[in-house]
């Protein structure tokens, strides 16, 4: 399991940030490039929660969004073709006296390679190993024998980091606040 901690300060209020994070309309991929419109499906949308499937490039994830606490949004992975276990995101907002908001994001990634041939899925998407593979096994399959549960998460090369996504949302909110 991998845990990533991110921190940003923004002039957006927690309400503005939550509004951007929970806008599941068309064009979401402009801010969240790992949420392509053709993968986006809103199963349920309530006042302070949602059940949404998003993804891109063959990877999808069904998330339960909970924004019932105005200073915290929790995204819990409920199903995925890649992520499992305790995977999810937690956004915590701390308004500052100077009018800015501190945003702390914790991303937890636990690989779920069951039901997915990781070797077949990632073939050609990962860098070539420095030495020739053992016949009949991909790099991921060889690593999985030695590090079950960690291999998929550590071997992935995601196109867009979560830090970049947070920055994109902050820029988007700034540009729309002035209009």
């Amino acid at each position: 399991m991998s845990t990533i901690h991110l921190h940003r300060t923004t002039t957006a209020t927690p309400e503005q940030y939550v509004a951007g994070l929970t806008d599941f309309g068309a064009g979401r991929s402009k801010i969240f490039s790992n949420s392509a419109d053709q993968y986006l499906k809103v199963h349920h949308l309530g006042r302070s929660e949602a059940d949404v499937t998003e993804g891109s490039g063959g990877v999808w994830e069904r998330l339960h969004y909970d924004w019932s606490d105005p200073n915290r949004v929790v995204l819990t992975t409920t199903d995925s073709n890649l992520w499992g276990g305790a995977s999810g995101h937690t956004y915590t907002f701390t308004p500052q006296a100077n009018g800015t908001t501190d945003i702390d994001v914790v991303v937890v990634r636990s690989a779920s390679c069951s039901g997915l041939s990781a070797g077949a899925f990632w073939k050609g998407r990962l860098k070539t190993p420095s030495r020739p593979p053992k016949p009949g096994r991909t790099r991921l399959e060889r690593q999985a024998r030695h590090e079950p549960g960690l291999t998929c998460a550590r071997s992935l090369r995601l196109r867009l980091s979560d830090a970049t996504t947070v920055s994109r949302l902050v820029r988007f909110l700034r540009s729309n606040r002035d209009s």
Side-chain angles (χ1 to χ4, degrees):
M1 180 166 55
S2 300
T3 302
I4 303 162
H5 298 270
L6 307 166
H7 176 82
R8 289 275 189 243
T9 300
T10 178
T11 56
T13 65
E15 295 81 15
Q16 291 169 322
Y17 200 90
V18 170
L21 187 62
T22 59
D23 179 355
F24 303 108
R28 183 172 173 82
S29 62
K30 290 177 184 170
I31 297 172
F32 302 100
S33 67
N34 286 341
S35 183
D37 289 344
Q38 63 267 30
Y39 284 78
L40 186 63
K41 181 173 182 181
V42 179
H43 305 280
H44 166 77
L45 181 59
R47 282 188 21 190
S48 61
E49 67 174 353
D51 181 20
V52 180
T53 298
E54 359 185 19
S56 68
V59 176
W60 59 268
E61 178 175 26
R62 188 167 179 170
L63 294 157
H64 177 261
Y65 282 73
D66 177 355
W67 61 96
S68 56
D69 178 340
N71 292 312
R72 184 182 191 99
V73 178
V74 178
L75 287 66
T76 306
T77 302
T78 58
D79 194 15
S80 175
N81 66 343
L82 188 60
W83 307 117
S87 292
H89 305 71
T90 301
Y91 293 78
T92 305
F93 311 104
T94 308
Q96 301 299 308
N98 66 1
T100 62
T101 302
D102 283 345
I103 303 171
D104 292 292
V105 183
V106 177
V107 181
V108 176
R109 287 302 190 199
S110 178
S112 169
C113 294
S114 60
L116 169 71
S117 170
F121 183 84
W122 292 105
K123 184 178 181 184
R125 290 183 168 101
L126 298 175
K127 294 180 181 178
T128 353
S130 54
R131 60 180 184 207
K134 234 180 183 177
R137 287 202 182 128
T138 67
R139 178 176 166 211
L140 284 178
E141 290 167 332
R142 287 191 318 280
Q143 285 180 315
R145 291 184 75 207
H146 304 292
E147 303 175 82
L150 294 177
T151 305
C152 294
R154 286 208 318 211
S155 297
L156 298 178
R157 306 295 190 260
L158 298 177
R159 291 184 313 283
L160 182 68
S161 73
D162 289 297
T164 304
T165 300
V166 171
S167 295
R168 278 188 180 175
L169 184 53
V170 167
R171 281 194 308 273
F172 174 79
L173 290 170
R174 280 183 190 151
S175 68
N176 284 325
R177 184 190 68 215
D178 299 330
S179 30

